[in-house]
Amino acid sequence: MKNLAIAAVRMSRWLLSFAGRGGSLPGQIGLRLDPRILSRLQIDGPVIVVTGTNGKTSTANLIADLLEKAGYQVVTNRKGDNLREGITTALVSQTSLGGRVKATAAVLETDELNVRYILPSLPVTALVVTNFFRDQLDRAREMEQLIESIEGVLKPFRGTLILNANDPNVLRLATKAPQASVMTFGVSENSATTRTTSEAAEGKFCPVCGQPLDYDWYQYSHIGKFHCPGCGFSTPADIDVNLDQIDVDDRSFSWNGQRFHSPYEGLYSMYNAAAVLAAGKLLNIPGKVAEYVFRHAPQPAGRNETFEINGQNVILNLIKNPTGANEVMKVIEKDRSPKQVVIVLNDREQDGRDVSWIYDTHFEKFMNPETRAIWCTGTRSGDMGLRMLYGGWDGELNLSSNLKETIQKAVASGDTVYVVATYTALVPARNAILEEVRS
């Protein structure tokens, strides 16, 4: 059935491409014909799997760029089809009928709940884990259940775990992988580091013995330098790739005697860069290659993406959970110019039906005199409006079910406009902004 499944995937992929469409349907067909199709493939080169709650798309794409610049022919799911079906589509559509993948490396972004399918099915060289936060509780369940689903396939894993040393919930994976090698990455203290945190934090208790963790400092949420007074579980003393000389405003940092410029804004993006450098170190790719990749990285759609309309800036960002949203709030807070904030909250299946996470997000950060108005739209605009009132907002508050009209009105103000949108609202919001750009 292997050859038939491969032929079916390739043909269906070609037909969809001819029609100008993509998606994971070819992979669904291939898995229906041969559920073990991934394990039957031959990949001649490193296979890097990237997972985690936040940052996995940017990290996977940067690692793919790194390998390509280093001379590898890379197959990757760059558009983010990160479920088993999407990964099958990406790999098998680049496979000969005999089962050999036509590439010298594979970089695969993988949804956290799908690691349990991908890791046992492919010859994975390295599993890169960015972080773990609560996200889409109705789909991903509690974070503990999600992590346990990954731990359940780690015992026989013989590759390398590339882990965030500042996240206790990521670092714990090393305790469940006795045959794996471990590399760690992290970010040193800097101007954004705090001694306490009021953000939602999942790293309060030791994942080994259950005692409360002690933190020396925090970067954001539960990401920081920690140790357990009970069993000694802690941030490693010798982190393999530890960024230092951090300049958050300039988006620059140093590692291994070399200066780098982070491709994207925010401290969390530096963690993505550290993960990329760790993957490069594993594969003996020089730092100068990573520096080139960071300097030439394309701006991901909807990730602090800036548009100019008649001299004013419109900035679009994706929000999907408290930790990622709080980092976006910090970016907005730093801007002291007059501004309008548009929040698009949807609760469709891909967003997660449970929107209670908005009460763990610090929207209060932009509730200041520089914010001229707040606009709430999307399928749960009323819930977001109520959240603004609970947050103490007493300025102009507008609720609407019409996304396009909302963005038009916000842009018409002449102020800087920040648009933050959940997953299914991101593309419609971007399209509405582009209409304003073209008008």
mmCIF file of all heavy atoms in Angstrom, residues 241-288:
data_model
loop_
_atom_site.group_PDB
_atom_site.id
_atom_site.type_symbol
_atom_site.label_atom_id
_atom_site.label_comp_id
_atom_site.label_asym_id
_atom_site.label_seq_id
_atom_site.Cartn_x
_atom_site.Cartn_y
_atom_site.Cartn_z
ATOM 1 N N VAL A 241 23.569 27.097 24.764
ATOM 2 C CA VAL A 241 23.466 28.356 24.019
ATOM 3 C C VAL A 241 22.738 29.347 24.911
ATOM 4 O O VAL A 241 21.516 29.306 25.035
ATOM 5 C CB VAL A 241 22.712 28.176 22.684
ATOM 6 C CG1 VAL A 241 22.525 29.520 21.987
ATOM 7 C CG2 VAL A 241 23.465 27.209 21.771
ATOM 8 N N ASN A 242 23.503 30.206 25.566
ATOM 9 C CA ASN A 242 22.926 31.171 26.494
ATOM 10 C C ASN A 242 23.219 32.576 25.976
ATOM 11 O O ASN A 242 24.373 33.015 25.971
ATOM 12 C CB ASN A 242 23.499 30.989 27.898
ATOM 13 C CG ASN A 242 22.680 31.711 28.942
ATOM 14 O OD1 ASN A 242 21.458 31.731 28.867
ATOM 15 N ND2 ASN A 242 23.345 32.302 29.913
ATOM 16 N N LEU A 243 22.215 33.286 25.533
ATOM 17 C CA LEU A 243 22.399 34.624 24.982
ATOM 18 C C LEU A 243 22.702 35.606 26.110
ATOM 19 O O LEU A 243 22.103 35.542 27.185
ATOM 20 C CB LEU A 243 21.148 35.075 24.228
ATOM 21 C CG LEU A 243 20.561 34.103 23.186
ATOM 22 C CD1 LEU A 243 19.450 34.782 22.400
ATOM 23 C CD2 LEU A 243 21.642 33.564 22.259
ATOM 24 N N ASP A 244 23.616 36.513 25.864
ATOM 25 C CA ASP A 244 23.932 37.516 26.875
ATOM 26 C C ASP A 244 24.118 38.883 26.210
ATOM 27 O O ASP A 244 23.912 39.027 25.002
ATOM 28 C CB ASP A 244 25.162 37.113 27.695
ATOM 29 C CG ASP A 244 26.396 36.860 26.848
ATOM 30 O OD1 ASP A 244 26.434 37.316 25.685
ATOM 31 O OD2 ASP A 244 27.331 36.202 27.331
ATOM 32 N N GLN A 245 24.482 39.889 27.024
ATOM 33 C CA GLN A 245 24.597 41.274 26.545
ATOM 34 C C GLN A 245 23.342 41.661 25.762
ATOM 35 O O GLN A 245 23.404 42.169 24.647
ATOM 36 C CB GLN A 245 25.854 41.456 25.690
ATOM 37 C CG GLN A 245 27.157 41.132 26.437
ATOM 38 C CD GLN A 245 28.381 41.312 25.569
ATOM 39 O OE1 GLN A 245 28.527 42.317 24.882
ATOM 40 N NE2 GLN A 245 29.262 40.316 25.587
ATOM 41 N N ILE A 246 22.212 41.423 26.398
ATOM 42 C CA ILE A 246 20.912 41.628 25.759
ATOM 43 C C ILE A 246 20.570 43.113 25.694
ATOM 44 O O ILE A 246 20.622 43.817 26.708
ATOM 45 C CB ILE A 246 19.792 40.900 26.540
ATOM 46 C CG1 ILE A 246 20.175 39.436 26.814
ATOM 47 C CG2 ILE A 246 18.471 41.005 25.802
ATOM 48 C CD1 ILE A 246 20.326 38.588 25.609
ATOM 49 N N ASP A 247 20.201 43.600 24.525
ATOM 50 C CA ASP A 247 19.642 44.939 24.364
ATOM 51 C C ASP A 247 18.248 44.751 23.774
ATOM 52 O O ASP A 247 18.101 44.531 22.568
ATOM 53 C CB ASP A 247 20.513 45.803 23.445
ATOM 54 C CG ASP A 247 20.060 47.263 23.396
ATOM 55 O OD1 ASP A 247 18.842 47.510 23.514
ATOM 56 O OD2 ASP A 247 20.931 48.150 23.243
ATOM 57 N N VAL A 248 17.236 44.807 24.647
ATOM 58 C CA VAL A 248 15.869 44.513 24.208
ATOM 59 C C VAL A 248 15.385 45.536 23.203
ATOM 60 O O VAL A 248 14.751 45.193 22.198
ATOM 61 C CB VAL A 248 14.923 44.454 25.424
ATOM 62 C CG1 VAL A 248 13.484 44.215 24.969
ATOM 63 C CG2 VAL A 248 15.360 43.348 26.387
ATOM 64 N N ASP A 249 15.677 46.810 23.442
ATOM 65 C CA ASP A 249 15.203 47.864 22.542
ATOM 66 C C ASP A 249 15.854 47.773 21.173
ATOM 67 O O ASP A 249 15.216 47.989 20.142
ATOM 68 C CB ASP A 249 15.456 49.245 23.153
ATOM 69 C CG ASP A 249 14.628 49.489 24.403
ATOM 70 O OD1 ASP A 249 13.508 48.927 24.483
ATOM 71 O OD2 ASP A 249 15.100 50.199 25.305
ATOM 72 N N ASP A 250 17.140 47.442 21.157
ATOM 73 C CA ASP A 250 17.875 47.324 19.891
ATOM 74 C C ASP A 250 17.710 45.946 19.257
ATOM 75 O O ASP A 250 18.166 45.713 18.149
ATOM 76 C CB ASP A 250 19.362 47.608 20.143
ATOM 77 C CG ASP A 250 20.166 47.664 18.860
ATOM 78 O OD1 ASP A 250 19.750 48.381 17.932
ATOM 79 O OD2 ASP A 250 21.215 46.981 18.779
ATOM 80 N N ARG A 251 17.067 45.030 19.989
ATOM 81 C CA ARG A 251 16.840 43.662 19.516
ATOM 82 C C ARG A 251 18.161 42.956 19.208
ATOM 83 O O ARG A 251 18.261 42.195 18.249
ATOM 84 C CB ARG A 251 15.939 43.657 18.285
ATOM 85 C CG ARG A 251 14.523 44.059 18.554
ATOM 86 C CD ARG A 251 13.728 44.467 17.330
ATOM 87 N NE ARG A 251 13.963 43.647 16.163
ATOM 88 C CZ ARG A 251 13.384 43.866 14.982
ATOM 89 N NH1 ARG A 251 12.543 44.882 14.853
ATOM 90 N NH2 ARG A 251 13.623 43.104 13.955
ATOM 91 N N SER A 252 19.178 43.181 20.039
ATOM 92 C CA SER A 252 20.471 42.574 19.776
ATOM 93 C C SER A 252 20.954 41.782 20.986
ATOM 94 O O SER A 252 20.513 42.005 22.117
ATOM 95 C CB SER A 252 21.499 43.638 19.398
ATOM 96 O OG SER A 252 21.669 44.577 20.447
ATOM 97 N N PHE A 253 21.871 40.861 20.735
ATOM 98 C CA PHE A 253 22.412 40.007 21.791
ATOM 99 C C PHE A 253 23.726 39.410 21.314
ATOM 100 O O PHE A 253 24.076 39.503 20.122
ATOM 101 C CB PHE A 253 21.425 38.886 22.142
ATOM 102 C CG PHE A 253 21.024 38.026 20.968
ATOM 103 C CD1 PHE A 253 21.792 36.929 20.599
ATOM 104 C CD2 PHE A 253 19.894 38.322 20.225
ATOM 105 C CE1 PHE A 253 21.436 36.133 19.512
ATOM 106 C CE2 PHE A 253 19.529 37.534 19.138
ATOM 107 C CZ PHE A 253 20.302 36.445 18.784
ATOM 108 N N SER A 254 24.433 38.798 22.240
ATOM 109 C CA SER A 254 25.703 38.154 21.911
ATOM 110 C C SER A 254 25.653 36.681 22.287
ATOM 111 O O SER A 254 24.953 36.282 23.219
ATOM 112 C CB SER A 254 26.868 38.825 22.652
ATOM 113 O OG SER A 254 27.035 40.150 22.228
ATOM 114 N N TRP A 255 26.424 35.904 21.557
ATOM 115 C CA TRP A 255 26.637 34.493 21.906
ATOM 116 C C TRP A 255 27.926 34.028 21.257
ATOM 117 O O TRP A 255 28.202 34.344 20.092
ATOM 118 C CB TRP A 255 25.481 33.602 21.437
ATOM 119 C CG TRP A 255 25.776 32.150 21.706
ATOM 120 C CD1 TRP A 255 25.891 31.543 22.924
ATOM 121 C CD2 TRP A 255 26.062 31.140 20.724
ATOM 122 N NE1 TRP A 255 26.227 30.219 22.764
ATOM 123 C CE2 TRP A 255 26.330 29.941 21.438
ATOM 124 C CE3 TRP A 255 26.106 31.129 19.337
ATOM 125 C CZ2 TRP A 255 26.654 28.753 20.792
ATOM 126 C CZ3 TRP A 255 26.421 29.950 18.686
ATOM 127 C CH2 TRP A 255 26.679 28.771 19.408
ATOM 128 N N ASN A 256 28.713 33.324 22.041
ATOM 129 C CA ASN A 256 29.945 32.727 21.544
ATOM 130 C C ASN A 256 30.869 33.779 20.914
ATOM 131 O O ASN A 256 31.520 33.525 19.899
ATOM 132 C CB ASN A 256 29.620 31.628 20.523
ATOM 133 C CG ASN A 256 30.745 30.634 20.345
ATOM 134 O OD1 ASN A 256 31.549 30.431 21.245
ATOM 135 N ND2 ASN A 256 30.799 30.002 19.172
ATOM 136 N N GLY A 257 30.879 34.996 21.510
ATOM 137 C CA GLY A 257 31.749 36.046 21.031
ATOM 138 C C GLY A 257 31.272 36.778 19.798
ATOM 139 O O GLY A 257 32.002 37.600 19.230
ATOM 140 N N GLN A 258 30.042 36.514 19.366
ATOM 141 C CA GLN A 258 29.516 37.147 18.157
ATOM 142 C C GLN A 258 28.260 37.933 18.486
ATOM 143 O O GLN A 258 27.456 37.534 19.337
ATOM 144 C CB GLN A 258 29.212 36.082 17.097
ATOM 145 C CG GLN A 258 28.746 36.634 15.769
ATOM 146 C CD GLN A 258 28.585 35.548 14.710
ATOM 147 O OE1 GLN A 258 28.974 34.401 14.931
ATOM 148 N NE2 GLN A 258 28.019 35.905 13.567
ATOM 149 N N ARG A 259 28.065 39.067 17.822
ATOM 150 C CA ARG A 259 26.886 39.901 18.015
ATOM 151 C C ARG A 259 25.841 39.553 16.963
ATOM 152 O O ARG A 259 26.150 39.381 15.779
ATOM 153 C CB ARG A 259 27.261 41.381 17.904
ATOM 154 C CG ARG A 259 26.228 42.350 18.460
ATOM 155 C CD ARG A 259 26.172 42.277 19.948
ATOM 156 N NE ARG A 259 25.144 43.187 20.500
ATOM 157 C CZ ARG A 259 24.642 43.079 21.705
ATOM 158 N NH1 ARG A 259 25.060 42.108 22.515
ATOM 159 N NH2 ARG A 259 23.744 43.916 22.153
ATOM 160 N N PHE A 260 24.580 39.426 17.416
ATOM 161 C CA PHE A 260 23.467 39.106 16.536
ATOM 162 C C PHE A 260 22.361 40.135 16.707
ATOM 163 O O PHE A 260 22.267 40.800 17.736
ATOM 164 C CB PHE A 260 22.893 37.721 16.867
ATOM 165 C CG PHE A 260 23.845 36.580 16.681
ATOM 166 C CD1 PHE A 260 24.704 36.201 17.709
ATOM 167 C CD2 PHE A 260 23.882 35.880 15.493
ATOM 168 C CE1 PHE A 260 25.584 35.145 17.555
ATOM 169 C CE2 PHE A 260 24.755 34.803 15.325
ATOM 170 C CZ PHE A 260 25.603 34.440 16.360
ATOM 171 N N HIS A 261 21.525 40.228 15.704
ATOM 172 C CA HIS A 261 20.343 41.086 15.770
ATOM 173 C C HIS A 261 19.115 40.206 15.603
ATOM 174 O O HIS A 261 18.974 39.508 14.600
ATOM 175 C CB HIS A 261 20.383 42.153 14.670
ATOM 176 C CG HIS A 261 19.349 43.217 14.826
ATOM 177 N ND1 HIS A 261 18.116 43.162 14.209
ATOM 178 C CD2 HIS A 261 19.341 44.359 15.552
ATOM 179 C CE1 HIS A 261 17.415 44.227 14.535
ATOM 180 N NE2 HIS A 261 18.122 44.976 15.343
ATOM 181 N N SER A 262 18.231 40.228 16.611
ATOM 182 C CA SER A 262 17.034 39.393 16.554
ATOM 183 C C SER A 262 16.149 39.824 15.394
ATOM 184 O O SER A 262 15.932 41.021 15.184
ATOM 185 C CB SER A 262 16.246 39.506 17.870
ATOM 186 O OG SER A 262 15.047 38.771 17.789
ATOM 187 N N PRO A 263 15.646 38.889 14.613
ATOM 188 C CA PRO A 263 14.824 39.262 13.451
ATOM 189 C C PRO A 263 13.475 39.863 13.824
ATOM 190 O O PRO A 263 12.870 40.567 13.023
ATOM 191 C CB PRO A 263 14.648 37.942 12.698
ATOM 192 C CG PRO A 263 14.859 36.880 13.724
ATOM 193 C CD PRO A 263 15.851 37.434 14.694
ATOM 194 N N TYR A 264 12.999 39.603 15.044
ATOM 195 C CA TYR A 264 11.677 40.078 15.434
ATOM 196 C C TYR A 264 11.737 40.728 16.809
ATOM 197 O O TYR A 264 12.633 40.472 17.604
ATOM 198 C CB TYR A 264 10.679 38.920 15.432
ATOM 199 C CG TYR A 264 10.713 38.109 14.164
ATOM 200 C CD1 TYR A 264 11.013 36.746 14.199
ATOM 201 C CD2 TYR A 264 10.504 38.708 12.932
ATOM 202 C CE1 TYR A 264 11.084 36.009 13.032
ATOM 203 C CE2 TYR A 264 10.576 37.981 11.763
ATOM 204 C CZ TYR A 264 10.869 36.630 11.815
ATOM 205 O OH TYR A 264 10.949 35.915 10.658
ATOM 206 N N GLU A 265 10.750 41.562 17.086
ATOM 207 C CA GLU A 265 10.712 42.293 18.346
ATOM 208 C C GLU A 265 10.249 41.390 19.481
ATOM 209 O O GLU A 265 9.514 40.438 19.288
ATOM 210 C CB GLU A 265 9.762 43.489 18.205
ATOM 211 C CG GLU A 265 9.806 44.461 19.363
ATOM 212 C CD GLU A 265 9.079 45.753 19.072
ATOM 213 O OE1 GLU A 265 8.578 45.923 17.952
ATOM 214 O OE2 GLU A 265 9.013 46.597 19.984
ATOM 215 N N GLY A 266 10.681 41.727 20.688
ATOM 216 C CA GLY A 266 10.219 41.019 21.875
ATOM 217 C C GLY A 266 11.257 40.053 22.423
ATOM 218 O O GLY A 266 11.989 39.396 21.671
ATOM 219 N N LEU A 267 11.309 39.961 23.746
ATOM 220 C CA LEU A 267 12.252 39.062 24.394
ATOM 221 C C LEU A 267 11.979 37.610 24.020
ATOM 222 O O LEU A 267 12.901 36.804 23.871
ATOM 223 C CB LEU A 267 12.163 39.242 25.915
ATOM 224 C CG LEU A 267 13.210 38.540 26.768
ATOM 225 C CD1 LEU A 267 14.611 39.008 26.407
ATOM 226 C CD2 LEU A 267 12.936 38.790 28.248
ATOM 227 N N TYR A 268 10.690 37.276 23.836
ATOM 228 C CA TYR A 268 10.346 35.900 23.477
ATOM 229 C C TYR A 268 10.943 35.507 22.137
ATOM 230 O O TYR A 268 11.259 34.342 21.898
ATOM 231 C CB TYR A 268 8.825 35.721 23.477
ATOM 232 C CG TYR A 268 8.082 36.611 22.514
ATOM 233 C CD1 TYR A 268 7.758 36.179 21.236
ATOM 234 C CD2 TYR A 268 7.678 37.889 22.879
ATOM 235 C CE1 TYR A 268 7.070 36.985 20.348
ATOM 236 C CE2 TYR A 268 6.989 38.712 22.002
ATOM 237 C CZ TYR A 268 6.695 38.257 20.735
ATOM 238 O OH TYR A 268 6.028 39.074 19.861
ATOM 239 N N SER A 269 11.122 36.503 21.236
ATOM 240 C CA SER A 269 11.722 36.201 19.938
ATOM 241 C C SER A 269 13.196 35.858 20.072
ATOM 242 O O SER A 269 13.751 35.115 19.252
ATOM 243 C CB SER A 269 11.545 37.387 18.988
ATOM 244 O OG SER A 269 10.185 37.569 18.660
ATOM 245 N N MET A 270 13.844 36.399 21.109
ATOM 246 C CA MET A 270 15.247 36.040 21.332
ATOM 247 C C MET A 270 15.372 34.579 21.743
ATOM 248 O O MET A 270 16.372 33.919 21.429
ATOM 249 C CB MET A 270 15.859 36.958 22.380
ATOM 250 C CG MET A 270 16.022 38.394 21.898
ATOM 251 S SD MET A 270 17.012 39.384 23.023
ATOM 252 C CE MET A 270 16.908 40.992 22.210
ATOM 253 N N TYR A 271 14.367 34.059 22.443
ATOM 254 C CA TYR A 271 14.388 32.631 22.768
ATOM 255 C C TYR A 271 14.294 31.793 21.492
ATOM 256 O O TYR A 271 14.947 30.753 21.372
ATOM 257 C CB TYR A 271 13.246 32.290 23.720
ATOM 258 C CG TYR A 271 13.599 32.532 25.162
ATOM 259 C CD1 TYR A 271 13.300 33.741 25.782
ATOM 260 C CD2 TYR A 271 14.271 31.572 25.912
ATOM 261 C CE1 TYR A 271 13.643 33.981 27.106
ATOM 262 C CE2 TYR A 271 14.625 31.803 27.242
ATOM 263 C CZ TYR A 271 14.310 33.013 27.826
ATOM 264 O OH TYR A 271 14.662 33.247 29.133
ATOM 265 N N ASN A 272 13.484 32.249 20.534
ATOM 266 C CA ASN A 272 13.421 31.543 19.257
ATOM 267 C C ASN A 272 14.793 31.544 18.582
ATOM 268 O O ASN A 272 15.238 30.527 18.042
ATOM 269 C CB ASN A 272 12.394 32.200 18.337
ATOM 270 C CG ASN A 272 10.988 32.181 18.899
ATOM 271 O OD1 ASN A 272 10.680 31.404 19.803
ATOM 272 N ND2 ASN A 272 10.130 33.038 18.384
ATOM 273 N N ALA A 273 15.463 32.714 18.624
ATOM 274 C CA ALA A 273 16.786 32.822 18.020
ATOM 275 C C ALA A 273 17.780 31.890 18.721
ATOM 276 O O ALA A 273 18.631 31.258 18.078
ATOM 277 C CB ALA A 273 17.274 34.268 18.086
ATOM 278 N N ALA A 274 17.659 31.786 20.049
ATOM 279 C CA ALA A 274 18.550 30.893 20.800
ATOM 280 C C ALA A 274 18.330 29.436 20.390
ATOM 281 O O ALA A 274 19.293 28.657 20.271
ATOM 282 C CB ALA A 274 18.319 31.058 22.300
ATOM 283 N N ALA A 275 17.077 29.060 20.167
ATOM 284 C CA ALA A 275 16.778 27.691 19.719
ATOM 285 C C ALA A 275 17.377 27.427 18.346
ATOM 286 O O ALA A 275 17.906 26.335 18.071
ATOM 287 C CB ALA A 275 15.267 27.468 19.692
ATOM 288 N N VAL A 276 17.318 28.423 17.467
ATOM 289 C CA VAL A 276 17.908 28.283 16.130
ATOM 290 C C VAL A 276 19.416 28.103 16.231
ATOM 291 O O VAL A 276 20.012 27.242 15.567
ATOM 292 C CB VAL A 276 17.564 29.525 15.268
ATOM 293 C CG1 VAL A 276 18.294 29.457 13.919
ATOM 294 C CG2 VAL A 276 16.056 29.619 15.047
ATOM 295 N N LEU A 277 20.059 28.898 17.083
ATOM 296 C CA LEU A 277 21.508 28.776 17.267
ATOM 297 C C LEU A 277 21.884 27.415 17.843
ATOM 298 O O LEU A 277 22.926 26.844 17.488
ATOM 299 C CB LEU A 277 22.013 29.891 18.176
ATOM 300 C CG LEU A 277 22.014 31.300 17.563
ATOM 301 C CD1 LEU A 277 22.262 32.356 18.628
ATOM 302 C CD2 LEU A 277 23.059 31.408 16.456
ATOM 303 N N ALA A 278 21.031 26.887 18.725
ATOM 304 C CA ALA A 278 21.297 25.562 19.285
ATOM 305 C C ALA A 278 21.221 24.486 18.208
ATOM 306 O O ALA A 278 22.058 23.576 18.157
ATOM 307 C CB ALA A 278 20.316 25.262 20.417
ATOM 308 N N ALA A 279 20.226 24.593 17.325
ATOM 309 C CA ALA A 279 20.127 23.635 16.219
ATOM 310 C C ALA A 279 21.349 23.751 15.311
ATOM 311 O O ALA A 279 21.890 22.747 14.838
ATOM 312 C CB ALA A 279 18.839 23.872 15.432
ATOM 313 N N GLY A 280 21.784 24.986 15.077
ATOM 314 C CA GLY A 280 22.974 25.189 14.264
ATOM 315 C C GLY A 280 24.217 24.604 14.913
ATOM 316 O O GLY A 280 25.069 24.009 14.247
ATOM 317 N N LYS A 281 24.329 24.766 16.233
ATOM 318 C CA LYS A 281 25.474 24.204 16.949
ATOM 319 C C LYS A 281 25.484 22.684 16.831
ATOM 320 O O LYS A 281 26.540 22.078 16.623
ATOM 321 C CB LYS A 281 25.419 24.624 18.416
ATOM 322 C CG LYS A 281 26.588 24.101 19.240
ATOM 323 C CD LYS A 281 26.548 24.597 20.681
ATOM 324 C CE LYS A 281 27.742 24.090 21.474
ATOM 325 N NZ LYS A 281 27.735 24.576 22.872
ATOM 326 N N LEU A 282 24.318 22.071 16.957
ATOM 327 C CA LEU A 282 24.225 20.613 16.846
ATOM 328 C C LEU A 282 24.727 20.131 15.490
ATOM 329 O O LEU A 282 25.400 19.099 15.393
ATOM 330 C CB LEU A 282 22.778 20.165 17.061
ATOM 331 C CG LEU A 282 22.507 18.673 16.907
ATOM 332 C CD1 LEU A 282 23.168 17.883 18.038
ATOM 333 C CD2 LEU A 282 20.998 18.388 16.884
ATOM 334 N N LEU A 283 24.420 20.891 14.435
ATOM 335 C CA LEU A 283 24.770 20.490 13.073
ATOM 336 C C LEU A 283 26.067 21.145 12.591
ATOM 337 O O LEU A 283 26.383 21.083 11.402
ATOM 338 C CB LEU A 283 23.621 20.833 12.123
ATOM 339 C CG LEU A 283 22.291 20.133 12.414
ATOM 340 C CD1 LEU A 283 21.205 20.623 11.462
ATOM 341 C CD2 LEU A 283 22.435 18.626 12.331
ATOM 342 N N ASN A 284 26.786 21.806 13.522
ATOM 343 C CA ASN A 284 28.075 22.426 13.198
ATOM 344 C C ASN A 284 27.962 23.489 12.101
ATOM 345 O O ASN A 284 28.832 23.602 11.231
ATOM 346 C CB ASN A 284 29.101 21.362 12.790
ATOM 347 C CG ASN A 284 29.406 20.389 13.909
ATOM 348 O OD1 ASN A 284 29.674 20.807 15.042
ATOM 349 N ND2 ASN A 284 29.343 19.098 13.619
ATOM 350 N N ILE A 285 26.885 24.266 12.160
ATOM 351 C CA ILE A 285 26.703 25.366 11.215
ATOM 352 C C ILE A 285 27.266 26.640 11.857
ATOM 353 O O ILE A 285 26.868 27.001 12.966
ATOM 354 C CB ILE A 285 25.206 25.556 10.868
ATOM 355 C CG1 ILE A 285 24.678 24.284 10.189
ATOM 356 C CG2 ILE A 285 25.006 26.764 9.970
ATOM 357 C CD1 ILE A 285 23.180 24.306 9.932
ATOM 358 N N PRO A 286 28.173 27.339 11.197
ATOM 359 C CA PRO A 286 28.813 28.515 11.798
ATOM 360 C C PRO A 286 27.820 29.609 12.172
ATOM 361 O O PRO A 286 26.774 29.783 11.524
ATOM 362 C CB PRO A 286 29.760 29.000 10.687
ATOM 363 C CG PRO A 286 29.989 27.805 9.814
ATOM 364 C CD PRO A 286 28.705 27.022 9.859
ATOM 365 N N GLY A 287 28.164 30.360 13.211
ATOM 366 C CA GLY A 287 27.308 31.438 13.667
ATOM 367 C C GLY A 287 27.069 32.501 12.612
ATOM 368 O O GLY A 287 26.011 33.145 12.594
ATOM 369 N N LYS A 288 28.039 32.700 11.711
ATOM 370 C CA LYS A 288 27.871 33.725 10.680
ATOM 371 C C LYS A 288 26.714 33.379 9.732
ATOM 372 O O LYS A 288 26.092 34.286 9.166
ATOM 373 C CB LYS A 288 29.155 33.899 9.886
ATOM 374 C CG LYS A 288 29.600 32.687 9.089
ATOM 375 C CD LYS A 288 30.902 32.954 8.345
ATOM 376 C CE LYS A 288 31.328 31.731 7.524
ATOM 377 N NZ LYS A 288 32.604 31.977 6.793
#
